[in-house]
Amino acid sequence: MYTDFKLFDSARRLFDEIHERNVVTWTTMINSYVSAGNPFEALRMFNLMSEFELETPNPFTFSSALKACSLLGDLEMGKSIHKSILRGSLQCDTVLMNTLLDMYVKCRSLSDAREVFDAILSKNSSSWNTMIDGYAKEGQMDEAVNLFLQMPLPDTVSWNTVIAGFTSLGDSSKALEFVQMMHRHGVHLDQFTFPCVLKACGCLNMLRAGKENHCYVVKSGFGSCYISVSALVDVYGKCGEVGEAKALFDEYLLSSCGSTRHNLGVWNSMLSGYVLNNCNVNALELVSQIHKSGAGLDFYTFSSSLKVCINLLNFRLGLQTHALIVTSGYGLDYVVGSILVDFYARHGYVEDALGLFKRLPNKDMVAWTALISVCSQNGSSHLAFSLLRDMICLNLQVDHFVTSSVLKACSTLAGLGSGKQVHTYCIKCGYESEQITVTSIIDMYLKCGEIDDALTLFSGINERDTICWSGIIAGCGHNGRSKEALEYFNEMIKSGVKPNEVTYLGVLSACRHSGLVSEALLFFKCMVVEHEIEPKLEHYGCMVDLLGRAGYLKEAEKLLMSSPYQTDQTLWSSLLWACGIHGNAESGSRIARHLVSLSPGNPSVYVTLANVYASLGMWDDATEVRAVIKEMGSKEMGKSWIEVHS
């Protein structure tokens, strides 16, 4: 009675007062500790009972002890109890064997679980469903489905278990396939089926299917269930229908009598929809609303809040959110922690990101990938490569996104040795066939000057996208093989792949390196007329530099004046240098005056001007400009570095 009313202390005091305890008394006390969430004390009592052989445990005693093992994940103790069950010849008790089976599943020992399952003579639906659930939760869906198909009469739980397994693995198509089979077999979808169905529709961006299932949810009487509403808000958000999601959300809040915990699930779904659709202001307002309601924010709320801070590039707001995360006890949560690492790294605080990363007790792929990616982008290339080595040493799954980020780091370093090691690792893991990986490997070889290796890899690719073509074209140009760059461009056009801004930048750069003026003018015209690509500053920079170096100073100036970048200092400086190269003092003086009027307080402009005057033999002018430079302050010495190989 005390146990049923959850008065566990009173139950224990009464138990201690009993002089002669029987198996029922011991079992009741052991079970009360399991119910109270104190499995340690439950097993201590069980061991005490067994140690002094005060009473022989019965099937109910063993079941309670096995439940305690499940809660603790104590596999060794569970195996010991299993032996005691066999010694007591209790293996014919189906309920007890199901509890034993559940213990092995929850302790993630599927081989032991399968042995128990196969040994159960009178399997009931609980036996089948427990074993299927074990396979599904470990991602072994082939085994789960094989067992499901052998089941004499699958019930709703059986179907839901398989569907949930596919949904958790991200195999939404397979999940929907089983939902259709479930419907055809006349098994009614329930409040546990619908969330999986709707999640699958959202992942596949199947708005129509989502709406059809919405109707089904309402007709089935689950329209006001918080789990169904949360899933519906989620699917509309993922399909870009924020208005529909908001309407459902508002309707639920108006009619809701649910607990704060249940409401938080619906709030989080709406918050996720806002974040996915870049409704960042709405998301912040909703976070404020949740906080004011007194609901305890969970890891999902904090994760979405941090994503908003990342989207808005709002560092101050992120710091405030971090403070709230710490005070709420989620500072070491691996999901929230991973996004925090990403947040600090994206703002350039790599050391802070690394410090957070080191403190996380459990690091998921998001944390590793985020840190490696941002290290590569921010120039912390040695750290990126070091993190990759750590992942490999820890036997963590390194995917092709991680290797691509590290390859980018090797390209930045011109670290050919490191790049080759990553290339070898990609071959070993089978990532060399991945488009993103092979493109990164080619880019690394090109930037390290190993163009023949890059061309060999490129020739072996069957399907080449715009990024791949653009990379090889730019690489050939940078490595002095402009003719091949133009040949690859023509081959790209013939293959039907559409070039983009980066492609044309590579082509124009190749022309600039080889002084191909007429070809460059033709490509520049085709870029605008045929492919309707608006030239950017970099494209005009290539053309002005090419025309200037070739002596076409008037044409270069005309092009510059017709561009949207006629006030850009870099373009005019390039043209000024060309005047110096070709000894055109008249044009040089005019362009110099124009350049000074654009940037009168920029010391680098005067340095360029002084050097050009010197090259033109205008020494008085050069001396005068250098005097101005002294008044403005000296120019800091440039620096460069390379990777040294032993």
Side-chain angles (χ1 to χ4, degrees):
M1 181 272 292
Y2 281 127
T3 299
D4 287 342
F5 281 107
K6 301 190 183 303
L7 300 171
F8 302 111
D9 291 338
S10 298
R12 179 58 190 264
R13 281 196 298 270
L14 182 59
F15 176 83
D16 290 339
E17 292 171 4
I18 300 173
H19 296 293
E20 294 184 11
R21 303 163 186 145
N22 59 22
V23 65
V24 177
T25 316
W26 280 98
T27 301
T28 304
M29 199 64 238
I30 293 168
N31 192 57
S32 74
Y33 279 118
V34 174
S35 301
N38 191 350
F40 287 104
E41 191 62 23
L43 288 181
R44 195 186 74 80
M45 295 274 307
F46 175 78
N47 288 329
L48 187 64
M49 175 185 176
S50 303
E51 183 180 347
F52 294 100
E53 298 182 352
L54 301 172
E55 289 287 343
T56 303
N58 64 17
F60 298 103
T61 317
F62 284 128
S63 290
S64 296
L66 286 169
K67 288 175 184 176
C69 293
S70 298
L71 290 171
L72 287 171
D74 192 339
L75 181 60
E76 291 306 312
M77 185 63 186
K79 286 185 175 182
S80 176
I81 295 171
H82 186 183
K83 290 176 182 177
S84 298
I85 291 170
L86 295 177
R87 283 196 298 269
S89 300
L90 298 173
Q91 58 266 39
C92 293
D93 188 322
T94 302
V95 175
L96 176 58
M97 296 304 284
N98 283 345
T99 308
L100 178 63
L101 174 63
D102 184 64
M103 181 277 298
Y104 278 126
V105 165
K106 286 178 178 172
C107 289
R108 305 181 70 175
S109 182
L110 293 186
S111 57
D112 290 313
R114 188 56 189 260
E115 286 183 18
V116 172
F117 175 81
D118 291 337
I120 299 174
L121 298 176
S122 301
K123 299 180 182 68
N124 57 20
S125 59
S126 179
S127 312
W128 288 92
N129 290 335
T130 301
M131 195 66 238
I132 292 169
D133 185 54
Y135 282 129
K137 284 182 177 174
E138 289 297 313
Q140 299 182 28
M141 291 309 299
D142 289 339
E143 293 289 343
V145 171
N146 287 336
L147 205 59
F148 173 83
L149 296 174
Q150 295 173 40
M151 191 173 178
L153 190 63
D155 57 13
T156 306
V157 176
S158 316
W159 286 97
N160 285 343
T161 301
V162 174
I163 292 166
F166 280 120
T167 304
S168 298
L169 282 177
D171 194 345
S172 301
S173 300
K174 204 69 177 176
L176 290 178
E177 181 184 324
F178 268 81
V179 171
Q180 292 170 350
M181 288 168 59
M182 181 180 180
H183 188 61
R184 285 197 299 268
H185 280 76
V187 182
H188 291 290
L189 280 66
D190 62 13
Q191 70 267 32
F192 299 105
T193 320
F194 287 122
C196 292
V197 176
L198 293 167
K199 182 178 180 181
C201 292
C203 290
L204 295 172
N205 201 24
M206 296 172 64
L207 180 60
R208 183 175 177 181
K211 288 183 175 181
E212 290 172 354
N213 280 286
H214 186 178
C215 295
Y216 198 171
V217 168
V218 175
K219 287 180 180 179
S220 302
F222 298 114
S224 59
C225 171
Y226 78 94
I227 298 176
S228 299
V229 174
S230 180
L232 284 166
V233 170
D234 186 63
V235 72
Y236 281 119
K238 285 178 178 173
C239 293
E241 296 291 328
V242 183
E244 291 280 356
K246 184 67 165 58
L248 267 172
F249 173 75
D250 290 339
E251 183 183 346
Y252 173 79
L253 289 187
L254 284 172
S255 60
S256 173
C257 298
S259 66
T260 304
R261 180 174 61 85
H262 292 168
N263 288 342
L264 184 60
V266 182
W267 277 330
N268 282 337
S269 292
M270 190 67 244
L271 182 59
S272 176
Y274 280 142
V275 174
L276 282 172
N277 291 279
N278 287 317
C279 302
N280 297 303
V281 175
N282 302 89
L284 288 177
E285 290 174 354
L286 184 56
V287 172
S288 178
Q289 183 184 342
I290 298 170
H291 189 51
K292 287 176 182 176
S293 73
L297 279 65
D298 62 7
F299 76 94
Y300 203 103
T301 322
F302 285 125
S303 298
S304 296
S305 301
L306 284 170
K307 288 175 184 176
V308 172
C309 298
I310 291 172
N311 290 344
L312 294 174
L313 295 175
N314 193 324
F315 186 67
R316 183 180 177 184
L317 186 61
L319 287 178
Q320 293 172 348
T321 306
H322 188 183
L324 190 58
I325 287 168
V326 173
T327 56
S328 301
Y330 284 93
L332 297 179
D333 180 88
Y334 78 94
V335 176
V336 177
S338 298
I339 302 174
L340 272 171
V341 169
D342 190 26
F343 167 76
Y344 279 102
R346 282 176 186 267
H347 282 85
Y349 294 93
V350 180
E351 289 186 9
D352 292 319
L354 186 60
L356 278 168
F357 178 81
K358 288 179 178 178
R359 288 198 296 273
L360 284 178
N362 297 310
K363 304 171 180 67
D364 64 0
M365 279 300 297
V366 175
W368 285 97
T369 305
L371 191 58
I372 289 174
S373 176
V374 177
C375 283
S376 299
Q377 292 168 11
N378 290 359
S380 302
S381 306
H382 285 299
L383 179 56
F385 191 73
S386 175
L387 287 166
L388 174 66
R389 286 202 303 265
D390 291 343
M391 288 187 75
I392 295 170
C393 291
L394 292 169
N395 293 319
L396 297 175
Q397 181 64 42
V398 179
D399 62 19
H400 54 280
F401 294 107
V402 173
T403 53
S404 296
S405 293
V406 179
L407 283 165
K408 181 181 178 182
C410 296
S411 300
T412 306
L413 277 168
L416 182 59
S418 302
K420 284 186 174 181
Q421 289 180 50
V422 180
H423 184 186
T424 304
Y425 182 78
C426 290
I427 295 172
K428 182 181 176 181
C429 296
Y431 295 149
E432 199 182 17
S433 59
E434 296 283 349
Q435 186 74 50
I436 185 174
T437 304
V438 72
T439 302
S440 299
I441 295 171
I442 290 171
D443 184 63
M444 180 274 297
Y445 279 123
L446 287 169
K447 288 178 178 175
C448 292
E450 297 291 322
I451 189 166
D452 290 328
D453 289 333
L455 293 175
T456 301
L457 276 171
F458 181 80
S459 63
I461 303 175
N462 295 322
E463 295 183 10
R464 301 161 180 164
D465 60 7
T466 304
I467 297 173
C468 194
W469 280 107
S470 300
I472 203 71
I473 290 167
C476 286
H478 287 311
N479 284 277
R481 296 167 79 157
S482 301
K483 183 180 178 182
E484 288 175 79
L486 302 188
E487 288 174 355
Y488 277 122
F489 178 78
N490 292 327
E491 190 180 336
M492 175 185 179
I493 300 299
K494 289 178 183 177
S495 70
V497 179
K498 191 175 180 180
N500 60 14
E501 298 168 0
V502 179
T503 318
Y504 269 107
L505 183 60
V507 172
L508 295 176
S509 295
C511 292
R512 179 179 61 178
H513 289 312
S514 297
L516 304 173
V517 178
S518 58
E519 289 86 345
L521 289 170
L522 180 62
F523 286 127
F524 192 78
K525 182 180 178 181
C526 289
M527 175 183 177
V528 179
V529 177
E530 290 187 20
H531 294 109
E532 299 179 345
I533 298 172
E534 192 66 32
K536 296 291 188 294
L537 175 64
E538 295 81 5
H539 301 98
Y540 281 105
C542 271
M543 292 303 298
V544 169
D545 186 56
L546 171 62
L547 291 170
R549 287 175 183 274
Y552 296 94
L553 299 176
K554 290 182 180 179
E555 289 81 356
E557 188 174 355
K558 183 180 178 182
L559 179 65
L560 198 163
M561 290 300 295
S562 66
S563 77
Y565 308 101
Q566 54 188 272
T567 60
D568 184 79
Q569 172 198 318
T570 306
L571 295 180
W572 285 105
S573 295
S574 175
L575 192 55
L576 181 60
W577 270 111
C579 293
I581 292 170
H582 294 283
N584 192 325
E586 181 184 349
S587 296
S589 297
R590 179 170 45 78
I591 291 170
R593 288 193 297 272
H594 181 68
L595 187 57
V596 169
S597 68
L598 290 175
S599 305
N602 191 337
S604 64
V605 171
Y606 290 92
V607 171
T608 302
L609 190 56
N611 292 334
V612 170
Y613 279 149
S615 66
L616 290 170
M618 302 166 66
W619 301 108
D620 292 339
D621 295 294
T623 303
E624 186 179 338
V625 172
R626 287 195 174 113
V628 174
I629 295 172
K630 283 185 178 181
E631 291 179 9
M632 297 179 72
S634 59
K635 181 176 179 288
E636 185 181 351
M637 185 183 297
K639 299 174 183 177
S640 64
W641 60 286
I642 60 170
E643 181 181 16
V644 179
H645 296 280
S646 56

